Amino acid sequence: MMTKLRGGTMAFQIEVGRWKGVVREERLCKECNSGEVEDVCHWMLSCHAWDIVRRPLMEQVSQYDGFRGQCLEKQTAFILSMACTNYSILNYISAMWCARFGL
């Protein structure tokens, strides 16, 4: 899971669309219908379909200095790097993963 998230090979619309030759701007999130491209950053931090599942993760990571106020890409990179050593963060991401992909 972490390898796929960090390597950009997840079955989010950003990747599925690339595999099918869909232009980037049309690889939209089908979970929240926000009109945003579905990529790791969108799924992990801003997709409204996962707000409730995401809440414990955000409570955990927001306690770290420098997390708030960063762009989504930096926040996502921070969370993914923290998950390598912080098992509670990894568990929250795993719960989101299972909810998103129906596992």
Side-chain angles (χ1 to χ4, degrees), residues 37-92:
V37 171
E38 184 192 35
D39 58 11
V40 175
C41 294
H42 172 76
W43 169 73
M44 188 171 289
L45 297 172
S46 62
C47 182
H48 296 300
W50 308 112
D51 282 346
I52 293 171
V53 179
R54 180 188 310 112
R55 187 171 297 133
L57 171 65
M58 297 311 293
E59 289 172 0
Q60 177 81 26
V61 297
S62 64
Q63 68 181 323
Y64 293 97
D65 290 335
F67 178 75
R68 296 274 183 206
Q70 297 292 327
C71 66
L72 292 180
E73 290 81 9
K74 286 187 178 184
Q75 287 181 340
T76 301
F78 175 82
I79 292 169
L80 292 176
S81 66
M82 288 296 298
C84 293
T85 58
N86 185 316
Y87 292 112
S88 63
I89 291 175
L90 179 61
N91 287 334
Y92 295 135

Side-chain angles (χ1 to χ4, degrees), residues 1-6 10 43 90 93-95 97-98:
M1 170 190 70
M2 291 301 294
T3 302
K4 288 184 175 191
L5 285 170
R6 294 188 72 149
M10 289 295 307
W43 169 73
L90 179 61
I93 294 172
S94 295
W97 169 285
C98 290

Side-chain angles (χ1 to χ4, degrees), residues 6-43:
R6 294 188 72 149
T9 58
M10 289 295 307
F12 294 119
Q13 292 303 312
I14 190 71
E15 292 303 316
V16 173
R18 183 176 59 85
W19 302 332
K20 295 179 178 180
V22 177
V23 295
R24 186 182 196 291
E25 295 76 22
E26 294 177 8
R27 302 177 200 172
L28 306 179
C29 181
K30 296 178 180 175
E31 302 295 319
C32 69
N33 297 313
S34 66
E36 294 181 33
V37 171
E38 184 192 35
D39 58 11
V40 175
C41 294
H42 172 76
W43 169 73

